[in-house]
């Protein structure tokens, strides 16, 4: 096979990569000699379809070799036997990187994917060029308290006594429970915390374009098995990665954060805390933008990646 044909195949091929006796859904975009960057999706229980449909190919055209995949037991890898542990997740990601023979890669960690990126970098610092947190939590317990507080204020303003009562009940629950986390996210979703109030014309067009994608059925598809597994095995909703991130920075790992000002999961104080951890110059807080930065402000997202 000549080199040109090989690169063309790399650009369009959907690779289902085999690791041991399992298969993990993996798709690549771009030329194999370009800078490798791996997208780690949110959840647990979600998938990489929205990033794949909206951003992966365009990012490849910016000069990257983009790898997207769905974690074992999630999304399009849902049928694969999963332990729902960070150890297994790290092993799978390491296998993917090794299969493409990259010495180092950049990791885009969206939401829960940021936690995965952090854990992987701790286990394999020699394989990580940089981490890019995109709407990723450092301390989910702080996020839950912020969500509940913000929702209570909204319910008071609206005179919504029923939902105010539910929010007050939520405050009295066991904060380490999965139910507490799930109800917090439900309140966030019902109050539009994941989307900008006035999306830009570009993001509206992008959202409209991906609605014709064959992947659209995955955009809102979440499973309940994965969150239960990661909560039971890893207590992911109570993790505080502050010291983990500080240690990675001490070792010289480059970390940047890209967040939307309208992302209702995080307070401005949390963004300030991240600035203290990784440097204010490494945190980008974008206007008219919420949780899916790569859709809400895609042009700015690409500019930040290219400069860092």
């Amino acid at each position: 096979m000549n080199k040109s044909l090989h690169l063309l195949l790399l650009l369009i091929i959907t690779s289902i990569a085999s690791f041991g006796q399992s298969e993990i859904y993996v798709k690549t975009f771009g030329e194999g000699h370009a800078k490798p960057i791996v997208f780690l999706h949110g959840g647990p229980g979600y998938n990489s379809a929205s990033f794949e449909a909206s951003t992966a190919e365009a990012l490849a055209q910016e000069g990257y070799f983009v790898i997207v995949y769905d974690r074992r037991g999630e999304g399009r890898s849902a049928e694969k036997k999963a332990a729902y542990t960070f150890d297994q997740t790290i092993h799978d990601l390491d296998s993917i990187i090794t299969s493409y023979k990259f010495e180092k890669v950049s990791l885009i960690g969206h939401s829960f994917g940021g936690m995965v990126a952090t854990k992987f970098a701790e286990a394999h610092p020699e394989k990580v060029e940089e981490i890019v947190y995109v709407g990723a939590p450092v301390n989910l317990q702080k996020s839950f308290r912020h969500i509940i507080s913000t929702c209570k204020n909204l319910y008071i303003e609206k005179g919504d006594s029923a939902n105010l009562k539910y929010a007050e009940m939520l405050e009295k629950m066991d904060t380490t429970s999965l139910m507490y986390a799930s109800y917090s996210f439900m309140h966030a979703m019902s109050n539009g915390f994941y989307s900008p109030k006035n999306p830009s014309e570009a993001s509206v067009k992008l959202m409209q374009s991906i609605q014709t994608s064959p992947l659209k059925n995955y955009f809102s598809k979440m499973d309940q098995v994965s969150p239960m597994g990661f909560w039971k095995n890893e207590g992911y909703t109570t993790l505080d990665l502050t010291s983990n991130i500080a240690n990675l920075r001490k070792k010289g790992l480059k970390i940047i954060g890209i967040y939307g000002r309208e992302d209702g999961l995080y307070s401005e104080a949390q963004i300030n805390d991240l600035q203290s951890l990784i440097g204010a110059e490494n945190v980008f807080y974008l206007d008219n933008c919420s949780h899916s930065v790569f859709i809400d402000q895609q042009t700015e997202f690409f500019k930040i990646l290219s400069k860092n």
Side-chain angles (χ1 to χ4, degrees), residues 114-115 118-119 133 137-139 239-246 277:
M115 290 185 158
T118 304
K119 292 291 185 177
Y133 292 134
V138 173
N139 183 324
L239 290 180
D240 180 355
L241 299 179
T242 302
S243 61
N244 309 68
I245 294 170
L277 269 178

Side-chain angles (χ1 to χ4, degrees), residues 39-104:
F39 178 76
L40 308 176
H41 65 77
Y46 196 47
N47 57 74
S48 62
S50 63
F51 182 88
E52 180 179 331
S54 67
T55 308
E57 186 173 352
L59 183 56
Q61 292 173 1
E62 295 288 319
Y64 295 89
F65 181 75
V66 182
I67 302 173
V68 300
Y69 79 104
D70 289 356
R71 284 186 297 271
R72 184 190 299 272
E74 302 178 54
R76 289 155 291 182
S77 303
E79 301 302 318
K80 310 310 172 187
K81 188 175 181 180
Y84 301 113
T85 63
F86 283 122
D87 281 347
Q88 186 182 68
T89 302
I90 290 167
H91 173 75
D92 285 340
L93 179 53
D94 185 42
S95 297
I96 292 170
I97 293 170
T98 301
S99 72
Y100 290 102
K101 297 181 172 57
F102 291 124
E103 292 184 5
K104 284 192 172 188

